[in-house]
Amino acid sequence: MPGYRFTQYIPPQTKEGADFDRLLQVLMQLLNITGGDVSEALNWLNNLDQRYQLTTDDYGIGDFIEDLKAKGYLKEDESAARLIMTPKSEMTIRRTAFEEIFGKLKKARPGNHKTGQSGQGDEHGTDLRSYQFGDAPEHIAVTESIRNAHINHGINDFQLLDSDLEVVETEFRAQTSTVLMIDISHSMILYGEDRITPAKKVAMALSEFIMRQYPKDTLDVIVFGNDAWQIQIKDLPYLQVGPYHTNTIAGLELAMDLLRRRKNPNKQILMITDGKPTCMKVGIKYYKNSFGIDRKILRKTLTLAVQCRKLKIPVTTFMIASDPYLQAFVREFTEANQGRAYYSNIDELGSFIFEDFQRNRRKTVR
């Protein structure tokens, strides 16, 4: 039987292409771990190649580096005579984190957040109602309205009146403003456990997820050590832990300030930390105490938790630590805020944050 059979086109992949893609995946992970230090990441890649034979005689690390520059992943920093990442690399790291953490999610329409409320929203529902003055013309159900006109006036005297019109009920799609707080105090790399890399990876995956699925939402990322400051999404791969104490107070104050500027009613704070607050600023000086839980710092932290509650801003704390006295602090903080807390390890962090982000988007704070 003559005709054509259509099948999925799978482009041929050369051996060189396969080698490049495989090495690229490894390099993206190393760049995340090294805080965007290309030289250190390539040194690690060389060490891994010597140990696990990642390359072949036909395609070596030198060939890979030349391809990275040719394809726009790396470029020369002439002022410092070194290789640096390009925006293409930064985007690739974010997408790699997204696929690793949220790769099993089902596709959804951008901004598809149901609130269970009907009204003059931006998404068509399934219910019909009579036309009311002020309804948008594009919401008129043409077929049903013409049918009503035939029934009410007959075919010979056809006319379409306001009373014949029906409109499709629409549903609201709420927006959510999220601030993600990441602890970069020194304890995030203590005791031989790297906690900052999973935190960065989750932040990049969450930002990529929001940009893909909920483009009307906002996500601000802040880091807190001795102080707190906002960073851009593109800066996440370069984030590193410093010799800092944990000034949770500064982080909460900055998060509240950012959320005050957002006009939509749905707001939340997601805080990733592995310890207790040990620092606060009094005037121009830092008040620090790393030995146990300081009552002066605790009182100020709990006061901010209550302020967030009064502003209808739930705080969800993701505690990457199992010490009982640290968990006791989180429970007290959560009770003051009436928010939520998760005691997770670094492997479960991504699923916990996604679950909580979705949960808070399903309710509208009034």
Side-chain angles (χ1 to χ4, degrees), residues 96-128:
T96 301
F98 173 84
E99 295 298 335
E100 182 177 341
I101 295 175
F102 298 143
K104 296 181 180 179
L105 295 178
K106 295 180 179 179
K107 292 184 178 180
R109 294 180 59 186
N112 187 22
H113 165 44
K114 297 182 179 180
T115 64
Q117 302 178 27
S118 61
Q120 294 186 14
D122 56 1
E123 182 73 17
H124 283 197
T126 57
D127 297 330
L128 299 176

Side-chain angles (χ1 to χ4, degrees), residues 69-85:
K69 291 189 288 186
K71 295 177 184 292
Y73 289 96
L74 300 179
K75 66 179 181 179
E76 296 279 355
D77 182 2
E78 297 179 357
S79 61
R82 61 190 178 96
L83 289 172
I84 59 174
M85 290 198 302

Side-chain angles (χ1 to χ4, degrees), residues 225-268:
N226 290 347
D227 295 289
W229 60 95
Q230 186 178 8
I231 64 172
Q232 301 298 317
I233 299 298
K234 66 181 181 62
D235 298 328
L236 277 169
Y238 306 99
L239 189 61
Q240 292 182 324
V241 168
Y244 306 127
H245 288 70
T246 307
N247 193 344
T248 309
I249 294 169
L252 290 170
E253 288 175 339
L254 179 56
M256 293 167 64
D257 183 55
L258 291 172
L259 289 174
R260 284 192 189 100
R261 305 174 193 175
R262 304 300 183 184
K263 302 304 181 183
N264 65 73
N266 296 321
K267 302 175 182 180
Q268 64 176 338

